[in-house]
Amino acid sequence: MMKLKISLLFLLAICFINAQVSHKVKALAKPLENISYAESLHVGIGGEKSIIYGYFKKLSDAASTDDLYYFAKNGSNALRLYSGIELLKRNDERFLSVYQYYLYHPLMVKYQDGCVGKVDNIASHLKRELYSAKEIIAVRDSLLKEKRSDLIKSQLKSINDAGYKKLSRKSVMSYIREIEKTEAEKPFL
């Protein structure tokens, strides 16, 4: 009888997990399901557009923050890393829980940024992205104070297209403080 209850509970949990993500988002995630590494927007010496990142960009355009949070904890390595970064860009505080999860449960992933690759824990990749976001936001805020030339408009559009439109300096600094606090409390860092 106990085995039947556990089996039923397990079956309901699987149904609930599958119900969390829409069919459209699941279909968009399909090409990334078995990818164990991630790439930046441009890769290689020539700066070619990454096909893998392109798949994720289509997914992120259709995905809710709940979908992204699910993938950050349950997807392939590529989906986990990309979704964590996208949660940051969307200014979703669950970014911190994703960071903390991978800090305490390390998962190594290779990330190809341009022509340089690095294998590191997802938490380390997320932390680097946070500090990069701090610099990008500073540039964006500085550009917003300038006269609106075509070049400045183009640069601002590029920053917004990269997903940094919803992120503020205040929230980035708050995330940095929380990460530093978490790392200070972790005894073996």
Side-chain angles (χ1 to χ4, degrees):
M1 187 66 170
M2 184 65 159
K3 286 183 181 181
L4 181 63
K5 287 181 182 180
I6 292 172
S7 298
L8 183 59
L9 186 61
F10 183 71
L11 183 63
L12 287 172
I14 290 174
C15 291
F16 177 72
I17 288 171
N18 285 333
Q20 286 181 323
V21 180
S22 73
H23 293 293
K24 179 181 179 181
V25 173
K26 281 183 192 176
L28 290 168
K30 196 90 170 142
L32 296 166
E33 282 180 351
N34 297 312
I35 305 291
S36 62
Y37 64 96
E39 298 176 339
S40 62
L41 175 60
H42 297 284
V43 293
I45 296 172
E48 299 89 21
K49 283 196 172 190
S50 166
I51 293 170
I52 294 170
Y53 184 83
Y55 288 142
F56 181 75
K57 180 67 177 137
K58 289 177 187 172
L59 169 72
S60 71
D61 289 344
S64 69
T65 54
D66 290 336
D67 295 337
L68 293 169
Y69 183 69
Y70 171 80
F71 287 129
K73 293 277 189 92
N74 301 293
S76 67
N77 286 0
L79 278 170
R80 289 172 189 245
L81 179 58
Y82 285 141
S83 296
I85 291 170
E86 187 64 23
L87 286 171
L88 169 65
K89 290 179 179 181
R90 291 188 185 187
N91 201 15
D92 189 301
E93 289 187 3
R94 289 178 290 183
F95 163 79
L96 290 172
S97 73
V98 171
Y99 169 80
Q100 290 169 346
Y101 178 81
Y102 291 112
L103 182 66
Y104 290 101
H105 305 95
L107 179 61
M108 304 304 279
V109 65
K110 179 181 179 187
Y111 184 72
Q112 183 76 27
D113 189 6
C115 58
V116 177
K118 182 172 182 138
V119 176
D120 213 343
N121 178 14
I122 288 178
S124 297
H125 288 294
L126 294 175
K127 183 177 177 180
R128 271 193 299 282
E129 183 64 32
L130 177 60
Y131 280 93
S132 293
K134 177 183 172 186
E135 299 302 319
I136 292 167
I137 299 306
V139 168
R140 182 198 66 198
D141 292 349
S142 175
L143 289 172
L144 286 170
K145 295 176 184 175
E146 301 291 323
K147 291 187 177 181
R148 298 296 174 120
S149 70
D150 288 340
L151 177 61
I152 290 175
K153 287 177 185 175
S154 174
Q155 290 171 325
L156 287 169
K157 183 180 179 332
S158 177
I159 290 170
N160 288 338
D161 289 349
Y164 295 96
K165 190 173 187 171
K166 295 181 180 179
L167 204 52
S168 69
R169 181 178 174 350
K170 182 179 177 181
S171 59
V172 167
M173 295 310 295
S174 173
Y175 293 150
I176 289 173
R177 281 190 300 277
E178 286 298 317
I179 282 176
E180 289 172 350
K181 180 180 166 186
T182 299
E183 290 177 353
E185 293 170 356
K186 188 174 180 195
F188 54 87
L189 275 180

